[in-house]
Amino acid sequence: QVVFALNQTLLQQESLRAGSFQIPYTTEDLIKHYNCGDLSSIIFNHDTSQVPNFINATLPAHERITAQEIDSYFRQELIYKRNERMGRRVKDLLEEHPEKSFFFAFGAG
């Protein structure tokens, strides 16, 4: 899976450099939608993480399965588990120090 992910990442980067692949949003798009509080807009219908999207229709069936497994793993590890850890830490801080005020900032990732 690691070799597959590396190869797909390199192919995607080569396509970006050659101009044959375009990212469907810009950093400015992300900033604009974030500032407008529109986090569920079309921007988030795309993969906005720094992890390349390995799933594409041109892959053979067995490689598409590998891509789906990798995508599922990344989402679980980099998003869901991260959110759970942050949530537990916030909850623990609030419970351990009820007399204190806190400010928490979270990314939209």
Side-chain angles (χ1 to χ4, degrees):
Q1 286 181 341
V2 173
V3 171
F4 174 83
L6 180 59
N7 283 334
Q8 291 301 310
T9 301
L10 292 173
L11 286 170
Q12 189 177 69
Q13 291 300 311
E14 289 170 358
S15 295
L16 279 169
R17 282 189 173 174
S20 60
F21 175 72
Q22 293 279 322
I23 294 177
Y25 55 85
T26 65
T27 301
E28 289 78 23
D29 293 331
L30 292 174
I31 292 168
K32 179 182 125 200
H33 289 280
Y34 179 83
N35 286 336
C36 292
D38 190 14
L39 299 181
S40 62
S41 70
I42 60 163
I43 297 298
F44 289 94
N45 288 334
H46 300 288
D47 181 9
T48 57
S49 70
Q50 295 300 309
V51 179
N53 184 6
F54 299 126
I55 303 169
N56 79 55
T58 63
L59 292 174
H62 70 283
E63 288 185 358
R64 203 170 310 128
I65 291 169
T66 300
Q68 289 168 337
E69 289 171 353
I70 292 169
D71 183 70
S72 177
Y73 173 81
F74 279 146
R75 287 182 192 287
Q76 186 66 34
E77 294 299 319
L78 298 179
I79 297 174
Y80 302 130
K81 285 186 179 180
R82 177 206 63 173
N83 291 350
E84 289 173 9
R85 279 191 307 276
M86 283 192 304
R88 276 194 305 273
R89 289 175 184 161
V90 166
K91 179 181 171 283
D92 291 346
L93 278 170
L94 293 172
E95 289 176 348
E96 290 171 15
H97 306 283
E99 72 290 349
K100 288 189 175 182
S101 294
F102 292 90
F103 173 81
F104 300 101
F106 303 96

